[in-house]
Amino acid sequence: MSQAQPAIATIPSSPAVERVPQSIPGVKHLIAVASGKGGVGKSTTTTNLALAFAAEGARVGILDADLYGPSQPRMLGLTGLPQVVEGRMQPLVGYGIQTMSIGFLIDDESPVIWRGPMITQALARLLNETDWQQLDYLIIDMPPGTGDIHLTMAQRMPVSGAVIVTTPQDIALLDARKGLKMFQKVNIPVLGIIENMSTHLCSQCGHEEHIFGAGGALRMAEQYGSEMLGELPLDIRIRIGADDGRPILVADPQGALAQTYRDIARKIAARLSTTVQTTQPIPTITIA
């Protein structure tokens, strides 16, 4: 008597994504910052990258697309409800960065318990009903994963390119690869990879240690023909700045960490200018 074969679940392939994006008034370029996995410092990186672009002379905004866990209000020290003028929400401005987040519209401890269609509708309204003021770059802080919000962004929004944030740890790289391949599948250019928490710097003695492993993001970039944009250390000053609403680009604008973020911003601008076909000029950022 033959033994019964174990059941094998069949996972349906992802549907083909037809991109029918609409232009966003007041915005030249949308850049998605994604990770695939939570806890790798994606939102902190988004905030400091936006400030780095602004330090280079660009007009910048942030759309906090992580609707289940909005972080940008806290990181930029912003509170209060957006004003509504002629039916359009006015972005709150922190350190010169125009910002819109669901976190402005709900209490800090109120969970967002919405199904996919409600989430995608809310995201579209935050983007399209905000009165963005002549932005060169709108940086999108994406949620973890590759779900409804990501598909909505790919289908309906004119995303110029994506940046992947990961740590060197193998378990983080697994999800980062999924995020990168998702953008490739929906024909959104991947502008490069940022390795966060690349090393740990001891605040007492300055000793440097690769506590999450070494070289993971570089290997991933080489594997997928992408660019390694930069490495950022696990530094307590970055964490304190995010929690206190005073990012490192504001707290120490001339320091080494701020310079690293600015170097990454320049590389992203350069990549964007060579990968995106557009009639709108890329703001000039001088690469030293």
Side-chain angles (χ1 to χ4, degrees), residues 92-116:
L92 276 68
V93 179
Y95 306 115
I97 306 299
Q98 299 176 38
T99 308
M100 183 52 63
S101 171
I102 195 73
F104 298 141
L105 307 175
I106 61 174
D107 294 334
D108 288 344
E109 298 182 2
S110 297
V112 175
I113 310 175
W114 293 342
R115 294 188 183 276

Side-chain angles (χ1 to χ4, degrees), residues 186-231:
V186 298
N187 298 317
I188 292 175
V190 175
L191 303 174
I193 301 169
I194 298 172
E195 187 173 86
N196 210 15
M197 309 181 199
S198 181
T199 61
H200 173 252
L201 297 175
C202 177
S203 59
Q204 299 299 317
C205 67
H207 174 68
E208 184 175 12
E209 185 177 9
H210 295 271
I211 60 174
F212 291 119
L218 179 59
R219 291 191 296 273
M220 177 179 162
E222 292 173 344
Q223 178 182 0
Y224 292 100
S226 189
E227 181 175 349
M228 181 68 177
L229 295 170
E231 300 173 335

Side-chain angles (χ1 to χ4, degrees), residues 4-63:
Q5 296 295 318
I8 300 177
T10 301
I11 300 176
S13 60
S14 300
V17 176
E18 180 183 358
R19 279 178 55 77
V20 286
Q22 300 177 351
S23 61
I24 308 300
V27 178
K28 291 181 180 178
H29 301 286
L30 274 68
I31 301 175
V33 178
S35 62
K37 185 177 185 63
V40 299
K42 167 189 54 62
S43 293
T44 304
T45 302
T46 298
T47 305
N48 284 299
L49 274 182
L51 290 164
F53 275 115
E56 296 294 321
R59 292 178 60 87
V60 188
I62 293 177
L63 174 65

Side-chain angles (χ1 to χ4, degrees), residues 48-80:
N48 284 299
L49 274 182
L51 290 164
F53 275 115
E56 296 294 321
R59 292 178 60 87
V60 188
I62 293 177
L63 174 65
D64 193 349
D66 192 351
L67 303 190
Y68 290 116
S71 302
Q72 294 303 327
R74 177 70 175 268
M75 292 185 176
L76 288 166
L78 295 171
T79 58

Side-chain angles (χ1 to χ4, degrees), residues 7 59 266 274:
R59 292 178 60 87
R266 292 172 186 147
T274 59

